Amino acid sequence: MVKQKRFNRVMATLLTAVMIFTSLGIGQWGIQAAYGAETLSGSGTASDPYQITSAEDLASLGGQTLEGVYEITADIDMSNVQMSPIKSLKGDLIGNGHVVSNLAISGSGNVGLIGELKGGSVENLTLTGVTVSGGSNTAVLVGLVSSSATITGCMVKNSTVSSTGYAGGLVGKTDGSSSDEIAITCCGVENTEINNTGTSTSYIGSGSLVGYSYYGKLNAAMCYGKEVTVK
């Protein structure tokens, strides 16, 4: 009887732990992804992406390490809404042709809507009226692409980038292993100013589309820059 009671207590403890982990949403994508997406509808899969429907939804992802599939479902005006860069994304961000406007974002390094893209894709998203300031690897969409990834159908318009290191309109820097393949297709930057005030010759790369490409194979096709000032 004593052994049975002890067994029952152990099983009750294990069941409680399972319930706690379940309530936290810890699953396929891990605790960080669960925290970053805890207020969003969806499960983060290709068939059921996390839904970003408002400025508050988007801002809630700032500073987070994310995995999974995210989908923007409406145009979003970020006026008067504070947001820090999404620390990193390993997954997909689907813009559905929507516009994110009037975003102001800053940081010390790897600065953009997405600080670091660790693999996956960003597609069909327009960013306009964005002000970005940071250290090395700064751009409007992605500060650093550090693994194989694709960026397709993304636009940057009427924006300003200020950096003390690598700076670009769309991507600040691409860098990964020599076997990584990074494809940027059907993207453009318009009416945007890129200011690189860095003094070190090691960090002065700037460009209308990509500030600097280091390791990895970068393939940019059917992209353009129009009325872009690079300083």
Side-chain angles (χ1 to χ4, degrees):
M1 178 65 69
V2 173
K3 289 184 178 179
Q4 181 64 39
K5 289 182 178 179
R6 185 177 300 166
F7 175 79
N8 289 342
R9 286 197 299 269
V10 171
M11 292 303 295
T13 301
L14 289 174
L15 180 59
T16 300
V18 169
M19 291 175 66
I20 291 172
F21 272 70
T22 301
S23 68
L24 286 173
I26 301 172
Q28 178 182 3
W29 298 114
I31 189 169
Q32 290 286 357
Y35 180 77
E38 62 182 0
T39 61
L40 303 182
S41 299
S43 58
T45 63
S47 60
D48 185 30
Y50 291 123
Q51 303 288 297
I52 302 170
T53 65
S54 66
E56 290 73 21
D57 284 347
L58 186 58
S60 73
L61 303 179
Q64 303 302 321
T65 299
L66 304 178
E67 293 186 356
V69 183
Y70 294 76
E71 180 180 36
I72 295 176
T73 63
D75 292 345
I76 296 176
D77 185 351
M78 297 296 289
S79 298
N80 303 316
V81 178
Q82 293 184 340
M83 181 180 177
S84 58
I86 296 170
K87 184 176 181 180
S88 67
L89 170 64
K90 185 178 181 180
D92 304 314
L93 176 61
I94 303 167
N96 287 319
H98 289 298
V99 178
V100 173
S101 59
N102 304 314
L103 172 67
I105 202 161
S106 62
S108 58
N110 296 349
V111 182
L113 174 63
I114 302 168
E116 181 179 357
L117 183 59
K118 291 185 172 182
S121 67
V122 183
E123 61 182 63
N124 300 327
L125 178 63
T126 294
L127 298 168
T128 186
V130 177
T131 301
V132 184
S133 61
S136 187
N137 309 335
T138 300
V140 174
L141 182 62
V142 180
L144 172 67
V145 180
S146 61
S147 187
S148 292
T150 61
I151 300 175
T152 306
C154 292
M155 301 293 299
V156 171
K157 299 180 179 181
N158 309 315
S159 297
T160 302
V161 177
S162 299
S163 172
T164 58
Y166 302 123
L170 194 75
V171 174
K173 182 183 177 183
T174 64
D175 191 4
S177 69
S178 59
S179 61
D180 284 330
E181 296 186 359
I182 300 162
I184 302 176
T185 308
C186 298
C187 295
V189 179
E190 298 182 5
N191 302 311
T192 291
E193 184 174 299
I194 300 165
N195 301 300
N196 187 340
T197 59
T199 57
S200 172
T201 57
S202 299
Y203 300 100
I204 59 174
S206 302
S208 59
L209 192 72
V210 178
Y212 189 77
S213 181
Y214 197 49
Y215 283 115
K217 302 171 184 177
L218 174 62
N219 180 20
M222 294 181 287
C223 297
Y224 72 94
K226 179 180 179 182
E227 297 184 13
V228 178
T229 301
V230 180
K231 298 181 180 178

